[in-house]
Structures are given as C-alpha cells and as structure tokens.
C-alpha cells in the first residue's frame, strides 16, 4: 500500500483501516486452484471431440467423477475449439473443496482455459472460436461470466429445473438473459443429453450431497 493513504488527513475506507491493522503477511495471500487428481484419467486431452454429444459427455463424465470422488458438486464443464474439437480446458464444481463460492464448473473451465492460452479472452485476435459445454444450465454468475469469457457458443445438458429439484439456487436467469447473449453473437444449444446429465444430479441427491448455496 502506498504511503499516501497512511499520511493523508482524509478518513480511510473501512476496508483499508482494517487491513492496516493486519499483519503484512496477509497481503501475500494467494488463491491457488488446481484440478483433482482424477482428471487426467477421466478425459483424453489428445483426441478431437467432434460432435456436441462427444463434448457433452466430457462435461457429464467430469460431473459424475466429481460426485463419485466426493471432490465437489454434480456439475462439470469443458471448453473446446469449435472447429477442431480440441479440448482446451475442463472445470468441475470446486466450491466446497476450495472454500470459494465462485468456483462453479464453468468458472473453473474459463479460468483454466485463459490461463492455458495466456489470454483474458477466448475471442482474441487470431484465436479459433471456442465454445463451452456444461453439464447443467448455467446459473446467473456463470451466465454472466460467459459474456466476458470470449466463448461464442454455450451448450448445456440438464436444465435449470433439474438443479432446482436438489434445492440449488440458480439465481436471476431469465429469457432476456439469453437474448442478451444471443444479441451479442453467443449461440445457445439446450438440453443435449439431458437425461444423462440429470442422472448425475440424482446420484448426488441419493448420496445426500451438500447443498452449498449462500
């Protein structure tokens, strides 16, 4: 922190006041996110995934392994190069594992893809088009992040109401939310392999999996 705040006669914002009283080592805090150790045995990073069904099965497999290994909630996602079918990144719900409410499967997939490509957007100059496949319809947070991520297409499996049956809160998502994305060139494909994706939600319910809203 610069000396300007400490030497100023102006009152400090509450957050700054509290931080000044904390040990300086807290300013070195790092959020470290990593895949569970089962990921490499679940996905094949080298093969192309050609069809929507192929790509959705990756997302569903991630969601299922996350439940079976008790490493998170019943949601998985993957980002592909649209034309080549190259798998760029995967994500799985990691909220409880990392004590971080933002780590939904889609968010992890965005973070990992951008880290791998060294770009804050997946729609940068000279990049191929990327698309997100997710095992369940995105919540309000993930749908919002989709706009900024740079993906140009979203494909989801289970529907919002399927997640709601487990008492997962999906937030304020409306038909207008999707129209907003579509008006900006992001296409939406709905309910691909819905039954297979929904079965993972039911597996989580049968194991009395933790509902971690709020």
């Amino acid at each position: 922190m610069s000396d300007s705040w400490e030497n100023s006669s102006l009152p400090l914002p509450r957050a700054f006041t509290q931080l000044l009283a904390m040990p300086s080592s807290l300013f070195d805090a790092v959020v470290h996110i990593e895949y569970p150790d089962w990921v490499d045995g679940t996905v094949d990073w080298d093969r192309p995934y050609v069809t929507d069904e192929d790509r959705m099965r990756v997302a569903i497999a991630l969601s299922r392994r996350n439940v079976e290994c008790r490493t998170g909630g019943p949601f998985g996602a993957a980002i592909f190069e649209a034309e080549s079918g190259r798998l760029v990144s995967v994500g799985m719900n990691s909220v409880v594992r990392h004590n971080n409410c933002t780590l939904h499967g889609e968010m992890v997939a965005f973070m990992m893809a951008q880290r791998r490509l060294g770009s804050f957007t997946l729609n940068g100059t000279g990049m191929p088009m990327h698309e997100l496949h997710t095992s369940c319809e995105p919540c309000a947070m993930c749908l919002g992040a989709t706009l900024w991520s740079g993906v140009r297409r979203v494909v989801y499996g289970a529907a919002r109401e399927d997640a709601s049956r487990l008492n997962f809160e999906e937030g304020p998502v409306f038909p207008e939310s999707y129209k907003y994305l579509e008006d900006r060139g992001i296409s939406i494909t709905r309910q691909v392999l819905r039954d297979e994706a929904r079965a993972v939600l039911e597996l989580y319910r049968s194991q009395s999996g933790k509902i971690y809203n709020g």
Side-chain angles (χ1 to χ4, degrees), residues 30-50:
V30 174
V31 176
H32 181 77
I33 302 166
E34 61 185 5
Y35 289 143
D37 58 12
W38 50 258
V39 167
D40 284 341
T42 302
V43 301
D44 184 344
W45 293 99
D46 297 321
R47 60 158 285 196
Y49 295 85
V50 178

PDB file of all heavy atoms in Angstrom, residues 30-50:
ATOM      1  N   VAL A  30      -2.539 -15.900  -1.516  1.00  0.00           N
ATOM      2  CA  VAL A  30      -2.679 -16.390  -2.883  1.00  0.00           C
ATOM      3  C   VAL A  30      -3.851 -17.363  -2.940  1.00  0.00           C
ATOM      4  O   VAL A  30      -4.015 -18.200  -2.047  1.00  0.00           O
ATOM      5  CB  VAL A  30      -1.392 -17.116  -3.345  1.00  0.00           C
ATOM      6  CG1 VAL A  30      -1.601 -17.759  -4.712  1.00  0.00           C
ATOM      7  CG2 VAL A  30      -0.219 -16.151  -3.385  1.00  0.00           C
ATOM      8  N   VAL A  31      -4.680 -17.241  -3.964  1.00  0.00           N
ATOM      9  CA  VAL A  31      -5.731 -18.218  -4.219  1.00  0.00           C
ATOM     10  C   VAL A  31      -5.189 -19.207  -5.236  1.00  0.00           C
ATOM     11  O   VAL A  31      -4.869 -18.843  -6.372  1.00  0.00           O
ATOM     12  CB  VAL A  31      -7.008 -17.546  -4.746  1.00  0.00           C
ATOM     13  CG1 VAL A  31      -8.051 -18.606  -5.094  1.00  0.00           C
ATOM     14  CG2 VAL A  31      -7.559 -16.563  -3.720  1.00  0.00           C
ATOM     15  N   HIS A  32      -5.068 -20.447  -4.834  1.00  0.00           N
ATOM     16  CA  HIS A  32      -4.492 -21.481  -5.692  1.00  0.00           C
ATOM     17  C   HIS A  32      -5.586 -22.470  -6.064  1.00  0.00           C
ATOM     18  O   HIS A  32      -6.226 -23.053  -5.194  1.00  0.00           O
ATOM     19  CB  HIS A  32      -3.355 -22.209  -4.962  1.00  0.00           C
ATOM     20  CG  HIS A  32      -2.700 -23.270  -5.784  1.00  0.00           C
ATOM     21  ND1 HIS A  32      -1.797 -22.976  -6.784  1.00  0.00           N
ATOM     22  CD2 HIS A  32      -2.819 -24.617  -5.770  1.00  0.00           C
ATOM     23  CE1 HIS A  32      -1.383 -24.098  -7.344  1.00  0.00           C
ATOM     24  NE2 HIS A  32      -1.991 -25.109  -6.753  1.00  0.00           N
ATOM     25  N   ILE A  33      -5.814 -22.650  -7.363  1.00  0.00           N
ATOM     26  CA  ILE A  33      -6.856 -23.540  -7.853  1.00  0.00           C
ATOM     27  C   ILE A  33      -6.201 -24.641  -8.670  1.00  0.00           C
ATOM     28  O   ILE A  33      -5.368 -24.364  -9.540  1.00  0.00           O
ATOM     29  CB  ILE A  33      -7.868 -22.784  -8.728  1.00  0.00           C
ATOM     30  CG1 ILE A  33      -8.500 -21.638  -7.927  1.00  0.00           C
ATOM     31  CG2 ILE A  33      -8.946 -23.727  -9.245  1.00  0.00           C
ATOM     32  CD1 ILE A  33      -9.232 -20.646  -8.786  1.00  0.00           C
ATOM     33  N   GLU A  34      -6.569 -25.871  -8.387  1.00  0.00           N
ATOM     34  CA  GLU A  34      -5.999 -26.984  -9.139  1.00  0.00           C
ATOM     35  C   GLU A  34      -7.071 -28.032  -9.386  1.00  0.00           C
ATOM     36  O   GLU A  34      -8.085 -28.094  -8.695  1.00  0.00           O
ATOM     37  CB  GLU A  34      -4.821 -27.596  -8.372  1.00  0.00           C
ATOM     38  CG  GLU A  34      -5.205 -28.159  -7.012  1.00  0.00           C
ATOM     39  CD  GLU A  34      -3.998 -28.641  -6.215  1.00  0.00           C
ATOM     40  OE1 GLU A  34      -2.865 -28.455  -6.689  1.00  0.00           O
ATOM     41  OE2 GLU A  34      -4.207 -29.208  -5.135  1.00  0.00           O
ATOM     42  N   TYR A  35      -6.836 -28.858 -10.410  1.00  0.00           N
ATOM     43  CA  TYR A  35      -7.740 -29.954 -10.702  1.00  0.00           C
ATOM     44  C   TYR A  35      -7.569 -31.068  -9.674  1.00  0.00           C
ATOM     45  O   TYR A  35      -6.463 -31.287  -9.175  1.00  0.00           O
ATOM     46  CB  TYR A  35      -7.428 -30.551 -12.067  1.00  0.00           C
ATOM     47  CG  TYR A  35      -7.787 -29.695 -13.265  1.00  0.00           C
ATOM     48  CD1 TYR A  35      -6.960 -29.679 -14.387  1.00  0.00           C
ATOM     49  CD2 TYR A  35      -8.954 -28.947 -13.296  1.00  0.00           C
ATOM     50  CE1 TYR A  35      -7.286 -28.930 -15.510  1.00  0.00           C
ATOM     51  CE2 TYR A  35      -9.277 -28.196 -14.404  1.00  0.00           C
ATOM     52  CZ  TYR A  35      -8.448 -28.182 -15.513  1.00  0.00           C
ATOM     53  OH  TYR A  35      -8.777 -27.440 -16.615  1.00  0.00           O
ATOM     54  N   PRO A  36      -8.625 -31.815  -9.391  1.00  0.00           N
ATOM     55  CA  PRO A  36      -8.465 -33.049  -8.607  1.00  0.00           C
ATOM     56  C   PRO A  36      -7.572 -34.024  -9.356  1.00  0.00           C
ATOM     57  O   PRO A  36      -7.447 -33.959 -10.586  1.00  0.00           O
ATOM     58  CB  PRO A  36      -9.899 -33.585  -8.491  1.00  0.00           C
ATOM     59  CG  PRO A  36     -10.796 -32.448  -8.827  1.00  0.00           C
ATOM     60  CD  PRO A  36     -10.034 -31.577  -9.777  1.00  0.00           C
ATOM     61  N   ASP A  37      -6.984 -34.970  -8.645  1.00  0.00           N
ATOM     62  CA  ASP A  37      -6.019 -35.869  -9.278  1.00  0.00           C
ATOM     63  C   ASP A  37      -6.647 -36.895 -10.217  1.00  0.00           C
ATOM     64  O   ASP A  37      -5.929 -37.600 -10.932  1.00  0.00           O
ATOM     65  CB  ASP A  37      -5.152 -36.569  -8.223  1.00  0.00           C
ATOM     66  CG  ASP A  37      -5.972 -37.378  -7.214  1.00  0.00           C
ATOM     67  OD1 ASP A  37      -7.182 -37.587  -7.445  1.00  0.00           O
ATOM     68  OD2 ASP A  37      -5.394 -37.804  -6.195  1.00  0.00           O
ATOM     69  N   TRP A  38      -7.964 -36.962 -10.259  1.00  0.00           N
ATOM     70  CA  TRP A  38      -8.614 -37.938 -11.138  1.00  0.00           C
ATOM     71  C   TRP A  38      -8.861 -37.417 -12.553  1.00  0.00           C
ATOM     72  O   TRP A  38      -9.292 -38.164 -13.437  1.00  0.00           O
ATOM     73  CB  TRP A  38      -9.944 -38.406 -10.541  1.00  0.00           C
ATOM     74  CG  TRP A  38     -10.880 -37.323 -10.084  1.00  0.00           C
ATOM     75  CD1 TRP A  38     -11.096 -36.922  -8.792  1.00  0.00           C
ATOM     76  CD2 TRP A  38     -11.745 -36.519 -10.895  1.00  0.00           C
ATOM     77  NE1 TRP A  38     -12.030 -35.906  -8.757  1.00  0.00           N
ATOM     78  CE2 TRP A  38     -12.445 -35.640 -10.036  1.00  0.00           C
ATOM     79  CE3 TRP A  38     -11.993 -36.443 -12.264  1.00  0.00           C
ATOM     80  CZ2 TRP A  38     -13.371 -34.703 -10.498  1.00  0.00           C
ATOM     81  CZ3 TRP A  38     -12.914 -35.505 -12.735  1.00  0.00           C
ATOM     82  CH2 TRP A  38     -13.585 -34.658 -11.857  1.00  0.00           C
ATOM     83  N   VAL A  39      -8.577 -36.152 -12.812  1.00  0.00           N
ATOM     84  CA  VAL A  39      -8.957 -35.552 -14.096  1.00  0.00           C
ATOM     85  C   VAL A  39      -8.270 -36.224 -15.282  1.00  0.00           C
ATOM     86  O   VAL A  39      -8.916 -36.565 -16.285  1.00  0.00           O
ATOM     87  CB  VAL A  39      -8.675 -34.031 -14.090  1.00  0.00           C
ATOM     88  CG1 VAL A  39      -8.766 -33.453 -15.504  1.00  0.00           C
ATOM     89  CG2 VAL A  39      -9.666 -33.322 -13.181  1.00  0.00           C
ATOM     90  N   ASP A  40      -6.971 -36.434 -15.218  1.00  0.00           N
ATOM     91  CA  ASP A  40      -6.259 -36.994 -16.363  1.00  0.00           C
ATOM     92  C   ASP A  40      -6.725 -38.407 -16.705  1.00  0.00           C
ATOM     93  O   ASP A  40      -6.600 -38.843 -17.854  1.00  0.00           O
ATOM     94  CB  ASP A  40      -4.748 -36.991 -16.117  1.00  0.00           C
ATOM     95  CG  ASP A  40      -4.147 -35.600 -16.279  1.00  0.00           C
ATOM     96  OD1 ASP A  40      -4.793 -34.738 -16.905  1.00  0.00           O
ATOM     97  OD2 ASP A  40      -3.032 -35.377 -15.771  1.00  0.00           O
ATOM     98  N   GLY A  41      -7.264 -39.117 -15.729  1.00  0.00           N
ATOM     99  CA  GLY A  41      -7.797 -40.440 -16.001  1.00  0.00           C
ATOM    100  C   GLY A  41      -9.221 -40.419 -16.519  1.00  0.00           C
ATOM    101  O   GLY A  41      -9.767 -41.458 -16.900  1.00  0.00           O
ATOM    102  N   THR A  42      -9.825 -39.233 -16.552  1.00  0.00           N
ATOM    103  CA  THR A  42     -11.220 -39.111 -16.957  1.00  0.00           C
ATOM    104  C   THR A  42     -11.358 -38.539 -18.364  1.00  0.00           C
ATOM    105  O   THR A  42     -12.289 -38.889 -19.098  1.00  0.00           O
ATOM    106  CB  THR A  42     -11.979 -38.218 -15.960  1.00  0.00           C
ATOM    107  OG1 THR A  42     -11.878 -38.791 -14.648  1.00  0.00           O
ATOM    108  CG2 THR A  42     -13.459 -38.076 -16.321  1.00  0.00           C
ATOM    109  N   VAL A  43     -10.460 -37.649 -18.764  1.00  0.00           N
ATOM    110  CA  VAL A  43     -10.540 -37.034 -20.088  1.00  0.00           C
ATOM    111  C   VAL A  43      -9.296 -37.380 -20.904  1.00  0.00           C
ATOM    112  O   VAL A  43      -8.226 -37.639 -20.355  1.00  0.00           O
ATOM    113  CB  VAL A  43     -10.687 -35.499 -19.989  1.00  0.00           C
ATOM    114  CG1 VAL A  43     -11.934 -35.133 -19.199  1.00  0.00           C
ATOM    115  CG2 VAL A  43      -9.453 -34.861 -19.363  1.00  0.00           C
ATOM    116  N   ASP A  44      -9.473 -37.390 -22.202  1.00  0.00           N
ATOM    117  CA  ASP A  44      -8.371 -37.608 -23.143  1.00  0.00           C
ATOM    118  C   ASP A  44      -8.042 -36.254 -23.768  1.00  0.00           C
ATOM    119  O   ASP A  44      -8.803 -35.727 -24.577  1.00  0.00           O
ATOM    120  CB  ASP A  44      -8.793 -38.623 -24.208  1.00  0.00           C
ATOM    121  CG  ASP A  44      -7.659 -38.962 -25.165  1.00  0.00           C
ATOM    122  OD1 ASP A  44      -6.660 -38.220 -25.201  1.00  0.00           O
ATOM    123  OD2 ASP A  44      -7.787 -39.967 -25.888  1.00  0.00           O
ATOM    124  N   TRP A  45      -6.904 -35.685 -23.385  1.00  0.00           N
ATOM    125  CA  TRP A  45      -6.536 -34.357 -23.845  1.00  0.00           C
ATOM    126  C   TRP A  45      -6.102 -34.348 -25.309  1.00  0.00           C
ATOM    127  O   TRP A  45      -6.034 -33.274 -25.933  1.00  0.00           O
ATOM    128  CB  TRP A  45      -5.414 -33.792 -22.984  1.00  0.00           C
ATOM    129  CG  TRP A  45      -5.824 -33.501 -21.579  1.00  0.00           C
ATOM    130  CD1 TRP A  45      -5.614 -34.288 -20.480  1.00  0.00           C
ATOM    131  CD2 TRP A  45      -6.526 -32.345 -21.100  1.00  0.00           C
ATOM    132  NE1 TRP A  45      -6.137 -33.696 -19.353  1.00  0.00           N
ATOM    133  CE2 TRP A  45      -6.699 -32.504 -19.705  1.00  0.00           C
ATOM    134  CE3 TRP A  45      -7.019 -31.196 -21.715  1.00  0.00           C
ATOM    135  CZ2 TRP A  45      -7.337 -31.553 -18.912  1.00  0.00           C
ATOM    136  CZ3 TRP A  45      -7.661 -30.240 -20.938  1.00  0.00           C
ATOM    137  CH2 TRP A  45      -7.824 -30.423 -19.551  1.00  0.00           C
ATOM    138  N   ASP A  46      -5.811 -35.490 -25.870  1.00  0.00           N
ATOM    139  CA  ASP A  46      -5.192 -35.539 -27.195  1.00  0.00           C
ATOM    140  C   ASP A  46      -6.164 -35.801 -28.342  1.00  0.00           C
ATOM    141  O   ASP A  46      -5.855 -35.507 -29.489  1.00  0.00           O
ATOM    142  CB  ASP A  46      -4.097 -36.619 -27.215  1.00  0.00           C
ATOM    143  CG  ASP A  46      -2.966 -36.303 -26.256  1.00  0.00           C
ATOM    144  OD1 ASP A  46      -2.595 -35.116 -26.149  1.00  0.00           O
ATOM    145  OD2 ASP A  46      -2.464 -37.234 -25.604  1.00  0.00           O
ATOM    146  N   ARG A  47      -7.318 -36.361 -28.074  1.00  0.00           N
ATOM    147  CA  ARG A  47      -8.240 -36.699 -29.152  1.00  0.00           C
ATOM    148  C   ARG A  47      -9.145 -35.519 -29.485  1.00  0.00           C
ATOM    149  O   ARG A  47      -9.451 -34.682 -28.622  1.00  0.00           O
ATOM    150  CB  ARG A  47      -9.105 -37.898 -28.777  1.00  0.00           C
ATOM    151  CG  ARG A  47      -9.958 -37.694 -27.542  1.00  0.00           C
ATOM    152  CD  ARG A  47     -11.166 -38.627 -27.486  1.00  0.00           C
ATOM    153  NE  ARG A  47     -12.205 -38.230 -28.405  1.00  0.00           N
ATOM    154  CZ  ARG A  47     -13.472 -38.683 -28.337  1.00  0.00           C
ATOM    155  NH1 ARG A  47     -13.810 -39.568 -27.408  1.00  0.00           N
ATOM    156  NH2 ARG A  47     -14.369 -38.280 -29.200  1.00  0.00           N
ATOM    157  N   PRO A  48      -9.606 -35.407 -30.714  1.00  0.00           N
ATOM    158  CA  PRO A  48     -10.603 -34.392 -31.044  1.00  0.00           C
ATOM    159  C   PRO A  48     -11.999 -34.869 -30.651  1.00  0.00           C
ATOM    160  O   PRO A  48     -12.304 -36.066 -30.764  1.00  0.00           O
ATOM    161  CB  PRO A  48     -10.481 -34.247 -32.560  1.00  0.00           C
ATOM    162  CG  PRO A  48      -9.981 -35.580 -33.017  1.00  0.00           C
ATOM    163  CD  PRO A  48      -9.108 -36.122 -31.907  1.00  0.00           C
ATOM    164  N   TYR A  49     -12.815 -33.960 -30.191  1.00  0.00           N
ATOM    165  CA  TYR A  49     -14.206 -34.252 -29.842  1.00  0.00           C
ATOM    166  C   TYR A  49     -15.070 -33.566 -30.898  1.00  0.00           C
ATOM    167  O   TYR A  49     -15.160 -32.334 -30.935  1.00  0.00           O
ATOM    168  CB  TYR A  49     -14.523 -33.753 -28.439  1.00  0.00           C
ATOM    169  CG  TYR A  49     -13.750 -34.477 -27.360  1.00  0.00           C
ATOM    170  CD1 TYR A  49     -12.458 -34.070 -27.006  1.00  0.00           C
ATOM    171  CD2 TYR A  49     -14.291 -35.580 -26.701  1.00  0.00           C
ATOM    172  CE1 TYR A  49     -11.737 -34.738 -26.021  1.00  0.00           C
ATOM    173  CE2 TYR A  49     -13.577 -36.249 -25.715  1.00  0.00           C
ATOM    174  CZ  TYR A  49     -12.300 -35.820 -25.382  1.00  0.00           C
ATOM    175  OH  TYR A  49     -11.577 -36.490 -24.412  1.00  0.00           O
ATOM    176  N   VAL A  50     -15.694 -34.366 -31.744  1.00  0.00           N
ATOM    177  CA  VAL A  50     -16.273 -33.826 -32.972  1.00  0.00           C
ATOM    178  C   VAL A  50     -17.703 -33.333 -32.784  1.00  0.00           C
ATOM    179  O   VAL A  50     -18.065 -32.236 -33.225  1.00  0.00           O
ATOM    180  CB  VAL A  50     -16.210 -34.886 -34.095  1.00  0.00           C
ATOM    181  CG1 VAL A  50     -16.855 -34.355 -35.366  1.00  0.00           C
ATOM    182  CG2 VAL A  50     -14.759 -35.284 -34.358  1.00  0.00           C
TER     183      VAL A  50
END
